[in-house]
Amino acid sequence: MTGHYGQVAFTPLVAEQQSIHGSAAAYARMADVDGVPDRIGRAEAAFISSRDSFFLATVSETGWPYVQHRGGPPGFLKVIDETTLGFADFRGNRQYITRGNLDHDERVSLFLIDYQLQARMKIFGRARVVEPEDDPELVDSLAPVGHPVRVERAILIDVEAYDWNCKQHIPQLVPLAVARHTVAELTERISELEAQLAAAREAM
């Protein structure tokens, strides 16, 4: 965990609960005071760029939190530089809850998870909406090549802080494509062994 993540996440009420439950001392070193945003390193960039989905949290003007799933081809969430992420906003069910919430509060939280590797990453950031009429080149640059969806706008995220979680309690799941490939390989191998066994029986 980075110091800045602790500074953002450990509010006074959170710190009070840590004291009550005995974890305050373990997180004392997270009391970062410089306020400098975290920078995305190589490991973080590789993980982010390999994701085909993530969860995006915003807050409405009435105070209700909202979490939305975003999916696309691997790499649709792009690392633009060490402090900036961006993605093309695809047309969905046209409720525009996230879009409306961002007009109220730019603060967002992203949750990225790899079930196969049992790895997860949390990101605090500030989102900026870019409409096509304001910067068509940027919107086009974030649209995944060959992905048949309608892109309505782009969303840029200035990374404030991030944290890697331990793999505790993450179920280990295998993507369908990986499972199908493994089954195909095993099926082919079984066929080869059955053919060898049949040939051996005939030679007896």
Side-chain angles (χ1 to χ4, degrees):
M1 179 183 293
T2 67
H4 193 50
Y5 187 92
Q7 185 185 42
V8 174
F10 299 162
T11 64
L13 289 177
V14 171
E16 180 179 335
Q17 288 299 314
Q18 291 173 352
S19 296
I20 292 172
H21 297 287
S23 63
Y27 291 117
R29 61 186 178 83
M30 295 291 96
D32 177 31
V33 295
D34 60 15
V36 177
D38 290 338
R39 291 186 174 274
I40 299 296
R42 290 184 179 180
E44 290 75 31
F47 185 76
I48 294 169
S49 299
S50 66
R51 298 300 87 222
D52 58 6
S53 70
F54 65 94
F55 295 92
L56 176 66
T58 56
V59 180
S60 73
E61 66 266 39
T62 55
W64 283 100
Y66 178 71
V67 178
Q68 184 176 56
H69 173 264
R70 295 301 179 103
F76 81 103
L77 177 60
K78 300 182 184 299
V79 179
I80 297 175
D81 57 41
E82 291 181 322
T83 60
T84 312
L85 307 179
F87 65 93
D89 188 20
F90 307 146
R91 168 165 286 191
N93 56 18
R94 304 182 72 184
Q95 292 183 356
Y96 299 110
I97 299 175
T98 295
R99 178 66 185 85
N101 286 351
L102 291 178
D103 282 342
H104 158 69
D105 195 327
E106 64 181 359
R107 291 173 297 178
V108 296
S109 180
L110 283 70
F111 193 98
L112 289 68
I113 186 166
D114 185 321
Y115 290 99
Q116 186 175 3
L117 297 178
Q118 294 178 294
R120 54 186 170 181
M121 183 182 182
K122 300 180 295 187
I123 301 173
F124 284 129
R126 299 179 184 276
R128 293 175 282 142
V129 177
V130 181
E131 300 292 349
E133 58 268 25
D134 297 325
D135 194 338
E137 291 186 4
L138 173 64
V139 176
D140 288 343
S141 71
L142 293 176
V145 177
H147 192 51
V149 294
R150 179 174 177 177
V151 175
E152 292 193 321
R153 62 189 57 81
I155 296 180
L156 300 180
I157 299 170
D158 295 323
V159 175
E160 192 72 28
Y162 65 81
D163 177 35
W164 289 94
N165 277 135
C166 68
K167 65 180 184 179
Q168 186 179 18
H169 307 309
I170 301 178
Q172 190 168 32
L173 307 176
V174 178
L176 181 59
V178 174
R180 284 175 171 168
H181 178 72
T182 302
V183 169
E185 286 186 331
L186 293 175
T187 300
E188 182 179 357
R189 181 56 178 159
I190 289 172
S191 297
E192 292 175 353
L193 293 174
E194 288 177 337
Q196 293 173 14
L197 180 61
R201 285 174 175 171
E202 291 180 359
M204 292 177 63

